[in-house]
Amino acid sequence: MTARRHIGKATPRPDGPDKAAGRALYIHDLARPGMLYGKVKFSEHAHARIRSIDTAAAERVRGVRAVLTARNTPELRFGFLRDNLVLKRDKVRQFRDEVAAVAAVDPEAAAEAVDRIRVEYEPLAGVFTPEEALRDGAPLVHEADPQGRPRRDNRVPLRFHHESGDLAAAERASRHVVEGTFSTPRIQQGCMGTAGCIAEFDRRGHLTIWAKTQIPFLAQRDFTRFLADLGLGERDVRVIVPTLGGAFGSGLDTHAYEYLAILLAWKAGRAVKIVYTREEEFACLSPRQCTVTRIAQGCDAEGRLTFRRVDVLQDNGAYTSWGATYPSVMMVPVTSLYRVPAVHFDAQIVYTNNTYCQAMRGYGNPEVNWAIESNLDDLAHAAGIDPLEVRLRNCNEPGEVTPMGLKVGTCGLRECLERTAARLDWPARRAGPSKPVAGVGTGKRRGLGLASLCHVGGSGRIYRSDASGVVLRLDDFGFVHAHYGGVEMGQGLHSVLTLAVAEALGVRPEKVIVGPTDTAHCPWDVGTHASRGAFMACTAVLRAADELRRRIFELARAAYPAEAEAALARHRRRDPEYRPPDFDVAEAARSGTFELQDGFLFLREAPPEPWLRVELARFLRAVHFREGGEMLSAESFVDPPTQLPDFERGFGNLSAAYAYGTQGAEVEVDEETGEVRVLRLVAVHDVGAVLNPQTLAGQMYGALAQGLGYALYEEVLSERGRILNPDFRDYKLPTAHELGMPIELEFVEPDEPAGPFGAKGVGESGLVPTAPAIANAIHDAVGVRLYDLPLRPERVLEALRKRRV
Amino acid sequence: MTRAAAGVPRCAPRGKRGAVATSGFAYHRPTTLREAWRLLAEHPGAALLAGGTDLLVRIRARELQPSAVVSLRSIPELAGAAAERGGGLRLGAATPVADLLRRATVVRRYPLLAQALRVMASPQIRNVATLGGNLCNASPCADTAPPLLAYEARVELRSARGRRELPLEEFFRGPGTTARRASEILTAVRLPAPPPGARVLFHKQRRVHLDLALASVAVLLRLQGTTCRRARLAAGSVGPTPLRLRAVERFLEGRILTEEVAVEAGRLAATAVSPITDLRSTADWRRRIVEVRVRRALVELAGLERAGGAP
C-alpha cells in the first residue's frame, strides 16, 4: 500500500468557514415565497379525554390561513409502532400531545391563534413511572393497539432478551457476587439548532420538505405513506436536509410537527414552516429514555467474570419511537464488554404518561455501561483485586466471538486500558488510600477511576437494509461532486467524505465538493446513526472511486498520448531549449500502468517530466468535447456484511466491526458539600485507523462534554408528566468552564480489515463510559458508590452522610 | 421622544375575516424623568424597561402582557456613576453591569460588588442588564443584592411628587416585590464610603458556570490584628429576599477570629437563612452551603488556613 496523502492528516473541515462566518443556512434561515408559519397547540394535561375543541376565536385572528384539529382531519397514524396520532382525537396521553395546529402569515399571528384555541378536557388518572404503570389495574395509556385490539397492560410490545451459558450454575460457582440497581435520567439532545421544517407542495401535488433529519430516505418513506393515508394517492416526496445545528439522535424519527406542516401546507396551498422555540424543543421534542437497570455480576477468586445478569426497565413515555429499541444496542455491551461466559439480559419497555422518548447518541449503551462499569468496580473491591487488573483479566481479544455472536475483528481494548492507566499513573496512585487535599476548608479528597466500552464500529443493522451509496461526478474542471445520502449534522461527515474522495480517487481535497443531502440527487441511505456515517461513506467512496479510476485509466490508453504531446508543446513554448527524454508515450499508454494523484494523470513507468503529468481537468475535457464524448461519474451502493439480529433471542452479528475504548478521570470531592470537580479526563479509544485527526478530536471533545453533562449536570425534570425545566436556565449543560480541565486523547489504531482505510465508526463511543469513570473516581476518593445519574452534589452529600452512619 | 411601536409586530390587515389583531404593546422611550413619570401616569400597568433581560423574557413567555412599555434607556440622569461627598458613590440605576465593571471606582473601591458583577449571567447579558433592573426584579437570587447589602447601600426612588431614600434591605419585600410604588422610578443606588482596609469575598454557588445562584454569600470584614472590628454579611437565594445576616455580624464584631469562631459563625449563618427546596436544589443543601461558605470565607479572609490546618 502506498503512503496515504490525505487520510490521517489533520485537515480543516470544508463546512467550517461558512459555519464560523454565519453563512451556513439552517432551517431557521430558510424561507419560501408566500410561506406561512405553523404553530402547534399542545395538551395541557398528561392524561385526559378531549371533550371539545373550540377554534372559532383562533380562526378570527387576522392573518390565520388554516386551523387543524382531529375534527377536520382524517385519523393519521405515525411512529415506530404507529401508536401515535398526528392530531389527537379522543384523548391526550402526555403534556406535549398535539391537539391543534395553525398556519398564519407570521409567527405572532400563529401564536396568538394557538392561544385562542379552547380545549375542554376531562382529566384522567395517569402513570408516571414504569413501576406505577406495571401495577395491576393501572390506568392504561393506550386502551387499544393501532389495529384496534384491546390492550390489557402498559407493556410496549417489543421484546429484547438474551440468555447464554448456564447462569444458575455460574452464579453458584461464583466466589464473589455483587448486585446493584442503577438509574439514568431523561436528558435532552441539546441541539443548538432547534427542530423545524418547511413543507411545500407544487401544483402537481408533489411534496418537498426541508427537514431536520438524520434519515432522509426513511423519512421520505414515512411521508410518502402519510400522503397515501391522507387519500392523496401516489405522490413524489423530496426530502432536503439543510445545514443541521446538531441532531444527536433527535433526527432518527419523523415527528408530528413535520406531518402537521405537511397537512397545513396542503390545506393552505402555501409553503408552511414550523420551527420549535427553545422551550418547545425542551418540552415537546423527545429526550433520551430514562432507565433503571438491575445488575449482578460474579467472578471467581482470580477475578475472572463468571456471569452477568442485567434487567432493564425503560420508561417509554406515551408513544414509541425508534429510540424504544435501545435494548438492541444495550445487548452489545451486556453480552460482549469483557469476556463473560454466562449472560442474562432482559428489557421491559413501559408506556407511561411522560413525554415520549427517542434516540440519543450512544443509543442505550451509556445507560447499561453506567451499571456494568460501576458494578464491576464494586465486584473488584469485593474480590480484593485492583479494578484495572480485573478489567485486564477479562479483556476482550481480537478475533473472539462473543455470547451474542458478535464477530470481533480487531480489538484494542487491552491497549486502551493500559494506556489510560499509564496516563493516570494508576499503579502508584491507587496503591495508598486517597489523600486529603490540603488548603482552604479541607474536606476535599481526590480519586482516580476508569471505565471502558464497546460499541458498534462497523455500522449496525437495525433495519432490513443497512446500506449507503454515493455518486461521484467529475465535471469539466476537475472537480469531483460527491452526493451522499447520509447527513452532516456537525460531526464532520463532509470532512472525512472529502478526504476519502481525495485519497481514493487521487485528487486534491480542495477539488472535492460535497453536495447537499437531497433525496432527489443522492443514493438511498438508511440514515446517519450507529456511528456509521464515516464508515459507510468511506466504504462507498472507495468502491465508486475505484470504478472511476478504472474508467479514467481505460480512456487514458487512447486519450492520454495526445494530452501529453500537447503538454510537451506548451512546455517547449516556455522552454525552447528543452529536450524531452527518449520515451515512447503512445507505447507506454498502450501497455503501462496509469496513476492518478493530486489531480494529475501519469504513467508509473514514465520519467518524472512535468509535461508527462496531465491535469485531470484537461483530460476530462478531452474525453468530453469530442465525437462520442463521455462524462465520468460512478455510483456505488454498499450493504455491509452485518446481520439483523434476532433480538428476542439476542443473537446476531449486528456490526461489521467493533469499537472499544477506556476513559479515566481524576476527581476532587468536597466532603462537606458533595461537589465533584473533575480535574482531568483521559480518553483512549480504539478507532481503527484515524481518518482526520482534527475531526476525530472534535468528535471526542464533544462526546466527552456530553458524557460529563450526563455524569454531573443534565436531567429533564418532570412532575406528573409536566416538564419543569424546559430551558437552559434550569437544564444545565456543561459550559466551556466545566471543560477547563486537561483532556487527554489518545487513539489505538489497529488496521480494521472490515473498515475503509482500516477505520471504525466513532461517533458515539466518546460519551459512553464517562459517567462510570467519574463515579468510580468518586468511589476511590471518598468510598461511596453512587447509583443515580446525574451525580448532583446534593446526591453525593446524601451518600456521604449515609456512609458516616 | 415618544414613539408608538408594536412590541409584537402587527401584520398587514389582509385576512378575509380580519376581526382580531394580534396583541402588542405601545413602546415609549422618554428622554427625561418628567416625561417618564407622565407616561407612567397615563398608562397604569405600564412596564418599565431598563436592560430588558428579565422583562422581555417574561413578555415573550406571555407571563406579562403590559399594555405599554416605558424604556428608561435614554434618560441621561439614570446612567453612570458619580463620586459623592463623604467618599461614597452614586450609581445610576440604568447603568449596565458591564459599564460598572469598566469603572475603576467600582472595581477598586467596591471589590465585593465587582466580584458579584463578574459572575452575573453571561457577557452578552451583562452588556445590557442594569443594576437597577436587577434590584427591581427583586429575585432572591439577584447577584448584585448581597454585596450591596454588605456595603449598606441605599436606593433612591423618585416620582413626580418627590424623592425618597431607603436602605436596600427595606426595599425588598418578597420574591418579585419591592417597596417601589407604581408612580416611582428607581433612579440610583447610593453606596457609602467603603470601610478602609476591608477584606471581602463573594461566593456564588452554581450548578455550572453560567447559572443563577443556588445560594450566594457576601462577606465583608475589617480586622484589627486578629480582632473583627466590623463584619457585614449577606446571602442570596436562601430566603424570600436577599438577606442581611445581622446575627452573624453581631456575633463576629469584637471577637478574635479563630477557627472555632468561624465554625460558629457558619452555624449561625445556617440558622439565619430560610431556604426552600425547588427544582434547582434542596433547602437542606442550600443551608449547608451557607454554613460551609461563610466559614470558609472567614477562614480565608482572616488568613486562618495558613496557621496550620483549617477547620
Side-chain angles (χ1 to χ4, degrees), chain A residues 59-60 62 106 108-109 112 115-116 670 672-673 675 713 729-730 732 737-738 792 794 801, chain B residues 8 11 13 17 20 22-23 62 205 207-211 280-281 284-285 288 293 295-296:
Chain A
E59 281 159 35
R60 282 197 300 274
R62 189 180 295 160
D106 58 49
E108 292 74 23
E112 181 76 25
D115 263 10
R116 288 171 188 267
D670 188 326
E672 289 191 300
T673 63
E675 288 166 272
Y713 311 113
R729 185 180 61 195
D730 286 311
K732 300 321 277 187
H737 205 82
E738 280 67 48
R792 296 277 313 267
E794 295 88 344
R801 281 176 174 156
Chain B
V8 178
C11 57
R17 294 174 296 268
V20 185
T22 50
S23 57
R62 294 171 181 246
Q205 192 71 37
R207 290 165 293 188
V208 297
H209 193 72
L210 192 66
D211 200 2
R280 285 176 205 143
S281 190
D284 184 48
W285 191 75
R288 165 64 73 99
R293 291 301 176 176
R295 191 196 70 218
R296 288 183 186 172

Side-chain angles (χ1 to χ4, degrees), chain A residues 130-434:
Chain A
E131 294 83 354
E132 232 174 83
L134 288 173
R135 262 178 224 144
D136 283 343
L140 291 178
V141 179
H142 295 269
E143 286 88 355
D145 70 11
Q147 289 74 39
R149 292 173 302 221
R151 294 181 45 90
R152 275 189 293 278
D153 59 31
N154 285 315
R155 287 163 210 271
V156 175
L158 291 170
R159 191 165 155 74
F160 297 92
H161 192 81
H162 171 94
E163 298 284 343
S164 56
D166 187 341
L167 200 82
E171 205 162 343
R172 277 195 305 275
S174 300
R175 182 72 174 271
H176 306 280
V177 174
V178 176
E179 298 184 333
T181 301
F182 293 82
S183 77
T184 63
R186 267 180 218 100
I187 64 166
Q188 231 262 342
Q189 292 80 2
C191 303
M192 287 295 104
T194 56
C197 68
I198 299 172
E200 183 174 31
F201 286 90
D202 66 16
R203 289 293 132 194
R204 294 162 69 204
H206 297 312
L207 170 68
T208 300
I209 180 163
W210 288 261
K212 192 190 165 192
T213 183
Q214 294 170 251
I215 46 153
F217 290 89
L218 296 190
Q220 182 188 37
R221 177 182 173 277
D222 284 357
F223 298 143
T224 303
R225 179 169 183 180
F226 175 72
L227 296 183
D229 290 350
L230 196 54
L232 300 183
E234 289 186 8
R235 304 281 172 171
D236 179 52
V237 174
R238 177 177 177 191
V239 179
I240 300 175
V241 185
T243 310
L244 295 198
F248 307 111
S250 64
L252 283 194
D253 286 87
T254 46
H255 303 270
Y257 74 83
E258 293 167 322
Y259 296 104
L260 289 170
I262 295 170
L263 277 174
L264 289 166
W266 180 254
K267 177 105 183 237
R270 309 256 289 264
V272 172
K273 177 180 195 171
I274 295 182
V275 170
Y276 274 0
T277 63
R278 180 59 62 187
E279 290 74 15
E280 286 172 333
E281 178 92 356
F282 270 110
C284 309
L285 199 74
S286 295
R288 183 193 271 286
Q289 262 89 355
C290 59
T291 63
V292 176
T293 299
R294 280 188 299 128
I295 185 169
Q297 296 184 96
C299 68
D300 64 15
E302 280 75 48
R304 275 188 296 270
L305 286 170
T306 46
F307 80 96
R308 180 181 289 159
R309 182 155 45 76
V310 174
D311 289 277
V312 175
L313 195 56
Q314 188 171 303
D315 185 342
N316 195 54
Y319 304 100
T320 312
S321 73
W322 267 96
T325 67
Y326 274 15
S328 62
V329 172
M330 290 176 176
M331 283 183 185
V332 171
V334 168
T335 59
S336 309
L337 176 60
Y338 309 116
R339 290 177 155 188
V340 203
V343 181
H344 159 94
F345 172 72
D346 193 71
Q348 184 70 66
I349 309 163
V350 186
Y351 282 121
T352 63
N353 293 110
N354 292 318
T355 185
Y356 86 89
C357 296
Q358 67 175 346
M360 188 175 163
R361 196 175 191 180
Y363 209 90
N365 199 334
E367 286 82 351
V368 290
N369 190 275
W370 165 238
I372 294 170
E373 283 291 44
S374 296
N375 182 255
L376 190 59
D377 251 40
D378 279 351
L379 185 64
H381 298 314
I385 304 172
D386 181 88
L388 169 67
E389 187 54 36
V390 163
R391 286 174 172 87
L392 287 170
R393 284 182 196 176
N394 294 286
C395 194
N396 300 98
E397 301 294 345
E400 71 180 35
V401 177
T402 77
M404 189 185 164
L406 306 185
K407 293 176 184 141
V408 176
T410 59
C411 170
L413 181 57
R414 182 172 298 278
E415 212 178 326
C416 293
L417 280 162
E418 284 167 351
R419 289 213 225 161
T420 302
R423 280 196 175 257
L424 291 174
D425 198 14
W426 183 275
R429 297 278 311 274
R430 289 283 297 219
S434 75

Side-chain angles (χ1 to χ4, degrees), chain A residues 71 82-83 94 96 150 167 205 217 255 260 289 361 395 407 479 530 574 609 619-620 663 670 676 689 714 721 731:
Chain A
R71 305 289 185 268
R82 294 181 73 74
D83 56 7
Q94 55 170 356
R96 48 179 278 213
L167 200 82
F217 290 89
H255 303 270
L260 289 170
Q289 262 89 355
R361 196 175 191 180
C395 194
K407 293 176 184 141
F479 283 92
R574 282 198 300 275
E609 300 301 304
F619 176 80
L620 292 170
Q663 293 184 359
D670 188 326
V676 175
E714 295 182 46
Y731 184 90

Side-chain angles (χ1 to χ4, degrees), chain A residues 61-146:
Chain A
V61 172
R62 189 180 295 160
V64 167
R65 294 289 181 272
V67 179
L68 298 175
T69 68
R71 305 289 185 268
N72 61 7
T73 315
E75 179 175 295
L76 296 159
R77 293 191 163 271
F78 75 105
F80 183 70
L81 294 178
R82 294 181 73 74
D83 56 7
N84 202 347
L85 291 169
V86 171
L87 283 164
K88 277 54 180 183
R89 190 158 291 272
D90 303 315
K91 74 171 196 174
V92 291
R93 299 174 174 85
Q94 55 170 356
F95 260 98
R96 48 179 278 213
D97 259 344
E98 298 79 6
V99 293
V102 171
V105 295
D106 58 49
E108 292 74 23
E112 181 76 25
V114 159
D115 263 10
R116 288 171 188 267
I117 295 171
R118 291 285 161 267
V119 186
E120 225 187 302
Y121 296 98
E122 177 192 333
L124 300 169
V127 284
F128 301 101
T129 64
E131 294 83 354
E132 232 174 83
L134 288 173
R135 262 178 224 144
D136 283 343
L140 291 178
V141 179
H142 295 269
E143 286 88 355
D145 70 11

